[in-house]
Amino acid sequence: MIALSLAEIASVVGGQTYDIPDTSVQVTGPVVRDSREVEPGSLFVAFVGERVDGHDFAAQVVEAGAAAVLASRSVGVPAIVVDDVQAAIGALARHVVQRLGATLVALTGSAGKTSTKDLIAQVLQRKAPTVFTPGSLNNEIGLPLTALSATEETKFLVLEMGARGIGHIRYLTDLTPPKIGLVLNVGTAHIGEFGGREQIAQAKGELVEGLPEDGAAILNADDPLVRAMASRTKARVILFGESGEADVRAENVRLTESGRPAFRLRTPSGCSDVTMRLYGEHHVSNALAAAAVAHELGMSADEIAVALSEAGSLSRWRMEVTERPDGVTVVNDAYNANPESMRAALRALAAMGEAARARGGRTWAVLGKMAELGDEALAEHDAVGRLAVRLNVSKLVAVGGREASWLQLGAYNEGSWGEESVHVSDAQAAVDLLRSELRPGDVVLVKASRSVGLEWVAQALLEGSEGEVAAR
């Protein structure tokens, strides 16, 4: 964070200082909520959670070097006490962003946010110092903490914004007002909470409504609900996609033998060829979104293409591809799942399967529940199971309870697979099955909503550690 005195922080957040002998002491380290991340000069934020109360760690973090604790009660060590800790870090983030003068890029969408954010960051880092959301910390706590990690050297601040209802993104844009706003897509993620795609579009479009007149709204030309958001912003509109009307678009899209996307990038300033290190054709849209941001910030087509071609995955469990010594390839995409991302992962698996079959290998889709689909849950799980058949996946392993049974039933009804699809009770059963049947050349995709915990299937397959899944 930029250096601020405890007195200034207290003024910004409307707090009272307790047990602080010298309020001119500066916070020079990061603002953190995890006591294990405290460094000398940090500000520790004490949240009260369901299981852990951050106030209980106050003495520990000050001993470790924290300048003070941002708390909701006196804790016997240097502290700034406020009524609402969450509101306080939001106010502090707004203050820091205003002081910085960095260009703030915000993005949202139903699928691909984190992968696209990672691409944008890797491209922009080639131009100037860039701070970006770690992982998927895109809510009312994670976003301000990310903004507070910016320093005087930061030129670009890239923030992922998530939403679970109307007004959520508007709140986030009020905390950290963006100059550039990017909307990737409107899908069915969290549709059970929103009530429909139109409501999701309403929520996602709050991002472009908050842009200034001299800002830029970067919209997906291939998604009608996103493209329609052009009428909701006073900022200049830039379209990306494969549509011929897109300002930044892809031509001659194809997949390499290993399943990596390649295409001709066309921008208003020129064209250049891209071959990505990431897997799956769905990354083309993500790359175009990143390219549109980079073009808006003055990078040439050649610079963007080189950066996209060299960019990798920065966040865990998102199409992580690892080949075991015995030739089995494990694709860990288990961080989360919704119908759009599930279909994209299956298509990536199918593309990788072409090379696998040439080596005598097979493709395995180890899939679990997609959460928060509401009344659409049965139809969406059934559709994913059917898609696995249509893509010629060798074997579907559906893991878990009712929703997994719908996956397996969809596959069975589509192709009458019989023993080629199977429903198992839990992650350990999936690991036991795979260990007994995998052979060199096979490719295994592991994917489900985060709550299912299927990342441990992938880990067990890579580590070969008996009992690991059950212990987790």
Side-chain angles (χ1 to χ4, degrees):
M1 188 176 79
I2 61 175
L4 296 173
S5 71
L6 295 177
E8 184 174 3
I9 293 172
S11 176
V12 168
V13 302
Q16 298 293 319
T17 58
Y18 286 81
D19 302 304
I20 300 178
D22 181 5
T23 58
S24 68
V25 168
Q26 290 190 325
V27 172
T28 57
V31 180
V32 300
R33 61 178 300 192
D34 187 332
S35 61
R36 295 167 295 185
E37 298 175 355
V38 166
E39 300 174 11
S42 291
L43 178 67
F44 176 71
V45 184
F47 282 97
V48 179
E50 294 182 3
R51 299 180 181 179
V52 178
D53 185 345
H55 296 80
D56 295 339
F57 298 89
Q60 175 185 323
V61 298
V62 170
E63 184 177 352
V69 178
L70 182 62
S72 55
R73 63 175 185 266
S74 176
V75 286
V77 295
I80 299 171
V81 177
V82 296
D83 293 333
D84 186 331
V85 171
Q86 179 181 306
I89 63 167
L92 186 58
R94 187 185 303 111
H95 176 77
V96 167
V97 166
Q98 290 172 344
R99 283 270 299 270
L100 275 177
T103 299
L104 200 158
V105 179
L107 71 152
T108 192
S110 294
K113 291 188 297 295
T114 299
S115 296
T116 304
K117 173 263 302 177
D118 289 347
L119 287 173
I120 294 171
Q122 290 176 85
V123 174
L124 295 185
Q125 281 174 335
R126 291 170 175 260
K127 183 176 177 66
T130 302
V131 169
F132 57 99
T133 303
S136 296
L137 299 179
N138 58 20
N139 62 12
E140 62 278 2
I141 296 174
L143 182 136
L145 288 177
T146 300
L148 290 170
S149 68
T151 67
E152 289 85 351
E153 290 74 36
T154 302
K155 299 302 180 186
F156 301 123
L157 182 56
V158 182
L159 298 176
E160 178 181 328
M161 294 186 174
R164 292 181 177 272
I166 304 296
H168 289 185
I169 290 178
R170 182 177 297 111
Y171 172 79
L172 297 178
T173 58
D174 286 344
L175 297 185
T176 54
K179 178 72 173 291
I180 298 174
L182 162 64
V183 184
L184 292 169
N185 44 55
V186 173
T188 53
H190 313 303
I191 196 168
E193 295 189 1
F194 281 96
R197 292 186 72 224
E198 291 74 16
Q199 289 83 355
I200 295 173
Q202 180 63 35
K204 300 298 184 185
E206 291 170 358
L207 175 54
V208 300
E209 290 177 346
L211 295 172
E213 288 187 14
D214 63 345
I218 299 177
L219 303 177
N220 187 346
D222 301 328
D223 186 323
L225 289 175
V226 174
R227 188 165 180 167
M229 294 176 190
S231 65
R232 297 170 60 183
T233 183
K234 55 183 178 290
R236 183 164 44 85
V237 173
I238 300 169
L239 298 177
F240 72 92
E242 296 185 45
S243 166
E245 298 178 2
D247 303 290
V248 176
R249 60 185 183 271
E251 299 172 347
N252 190 27
V253 176
R254 60 203 182 278
L255 291 177
T256 67
E257 289 185 357
S258 60
R260 292 181 168 102
F263 58 94
R264 180 77 166 166
L265 171 66
R266 183 174 293 277
T267 77
S269 63
C271 303
S272 196
D273 291 324
V274 176
T275 300
M276 303 185 72
R277 292 173 55 199
L278 304 177
Y279 292 83
E281 191 172 343
H282 60 289
H283 280 301
V284 173
S285 181
N286 299 340
L288 292 174
V293 172
H295 170 75
E296 173 65 17
L297 292 173
M299 295 182 69
S300 70
D302 286 343
E303 289 174 322
I304 296 167
V306 169
L308 289 174
S309 295
E310 295 180 358
S313 177
L314 302 183
S315 301
R316 296 187 67 190
W317 307 331
R318 292 170 175 85
M319 293 300 288
E320 287 184 357
V321 179
T322 307
E323 184 173 343
R324 301 192 324 193
D326 64 355
V328 171
T329 299
V330 178
V331 183
N332 186 351
D333 196 32
Y335 185 82
N336 216 334
N338 57 57
E340 290 76 23
S341 67
M342 193 74 91
R343 288 192 285 270
L346 283 172
R347 292 190 180 101
L349 175 65
M352 297 172 71
E354 294 182 12
R357 280 188 288 275
R359 305 190 304 268
R362 301 160 297 173
T363 50
W364 296 70
V366 183
L367 308 180
K369 171 184 177 179
M370 298 177 288
E372 299 175 357
L373 294 179
D375 294 340
E376 302 296 321
L378 172 56
E380 293 290 0
H381 285 86
D382 178 83
V384 166
R386 291 175 183 273
L387 180 61
V389 176
R390 295 170 189 160
L391 292 173
N392 199 28
V393 172
S394 303
K395 189 156 186 174
L396 169 69
V397 181
V399 185
R402 181 181 59 176
E403 290 85 354
S405 71
W406 295 338
L407 285 166
Q408 194 273 338
L409 186 60
Y412 182 88
N413 288 337
E414 182 70 21
S416 296
W417 275 9
E419 294 182 359
E420 291 180 81
S421 65
V422 62
H423 176 212
V424 298
S425 60
D426 55 26
Q428 186 65 62
V431 171
D432 292 341
L433 171 68
L434 292 164
R435 282 181 175 153
S436 67
E437 295 197 20
L438 288 179
R439 66 190 188 209
D442 285 357
V443 182
V444 185
L445 168 69
V446 181
K447 187 168 182 64
S449 280
R450 186 70 185 87
S451 58
V452 181
L454 285 196
E455 68 273 11
W456 304 117
V457 172
Q459 179 176 312
L461 292 177
L462 292 173
E463 294 182 351
S465 54
E466 298 291 341
E468 177 69 19
V469 177
R472 293 288 181 178

